[in-house]
Every structure is written in C-alpha cells, then in structure tokens.
Amino acid sequence: MNSIVRLNPSTLPNAGEMGYSQISIVEPGRMAYISGQVAWRPDGQVVPNNLAEQMSIVSLNAKAALDAVGAAPHDVVIARVYVVNLTPERLEELMPPFLATFSGAQPCITGVGVAALAAPDLQVEMELVVRLPD
C-alpha cells in the first residue's frame, strides 16, 4: 500500500503539469520534519551567487537529510521553499533543480517570497515534511 496518495482534482489548477500535487493524503505512520536546508556544504565551500546553483546544493542537502532518516524523495509530503526576492523569473530559474530533488514524486509545495534568510549570501531555503517508510 502506498503511504502517500497524491491528488490533482479537476476543480483545482492542474499542478501535476507543473511537477507537484495540490493534495497529499498520508496514511498514519511516523513523520519527520526536516529543517530548512540552504546552500551551505559540510566542507564549508563558498556559497555560489547563482540561484539555480544554490538550489542544486539545497537539493543535495535535502537528499542527505532524507537518507539520514531512511526516506526517499517519494516519501516527502510537502516541501516549503523560501526564496529571497521571489519573482516569476526567479521561480522559473529555481524550478528545474527544485523539481529534480523529488525524482518525479510530485509532493505538495509552497513557495514563499522573503526579504532575507539566515545569512546575506543565501537566496533559497527548503524545509520538508516526510512520511517515514514502514
């Protein structure tokens, strides 16, 4: 049995065409809440200035967090992405590396435009809610 059912009802915009789901129904089970991941690397490398490059690092960090809890991209219920100075153009730049995080799983997503993040060089942060596998 699939622990997460994804829905895109015809009464809502078809989010599936954009790579995510409007609704996720989760069977009872253990949950993990993964803190916002940013473009900081374990080896302390400099944060790139490019939004897409930062999102690629955020994606790697998110996948490492999923691995740490024994989960995979298809176990993500919802991803919240915080983007400094969010515009349609920046969203378009962000989406390919963001969607690559989930390997086609299409969790629910929420994008939030913010004025700043934890450090002045950070442009994107992503937190995850995950239904852990049985």
Side-chain angles (χ1 to χ4, degrees):
M1 179 182 212
N2 190 357
S3 60
I4 303 174
V5 176
R6 315 272 188 204
L7 300 175
N8 284 301
S10 62
T11 54
L12 294 172
N14 187 354
E17 290 177 352
M18 294 181 277
Y20 67 98
S21 297
Q22 291 285 6
I23 300 168
S24 292
I25 301 170
V26 182
E27 293 296 321
R30 291 183 24 192
M31 303 293 290
Y33 300 85
I34 297 176
S35 291
Q37 299 300 304
V38 295
W40 289 335
R41 298 177 231 193
D43 62 6
Q45 288 183 40
V46 175
V47 173
N49 201 25
N50 178 283
L51 177 61
E53 288 177 37
Q54 283 198 23
M55 187 63 235
S56 293
I57 296 166
V58 169
S59 177
L60 290 173
N61 290 344
K63 288 178 182 178
L66 289 171
D67 287 345
V69 298
H74 67 269
D75 297 310
V76 175
V77 178
I78 187 168
R80 289 183 193 90
V81 182
Y82 304 90
V83 183
V84 174
N85 300 321
L86 182 60
T87 64
E89 295 78 21
R90 286 175 63 77
L91 185 60
E92 188 174 320
E93 180 182 352
L94 175 83
M95 287 307 286
F98 170 78
L99 291 175
T101 306
F102 305 105
S103 304
Q106 297 191 349
C108 293
I109 63 170
T110 298
V112 182
V114 296
L117 293 169
D121 55 347
L122 298 174
Q123 299 181 49
V124 60
E125 182 170 347
M126 178 171 60
E127 65 181 351
L128 303 173
V129 175
V130 181
R131 199 285 188 179
L132 297 175
D134 294 323

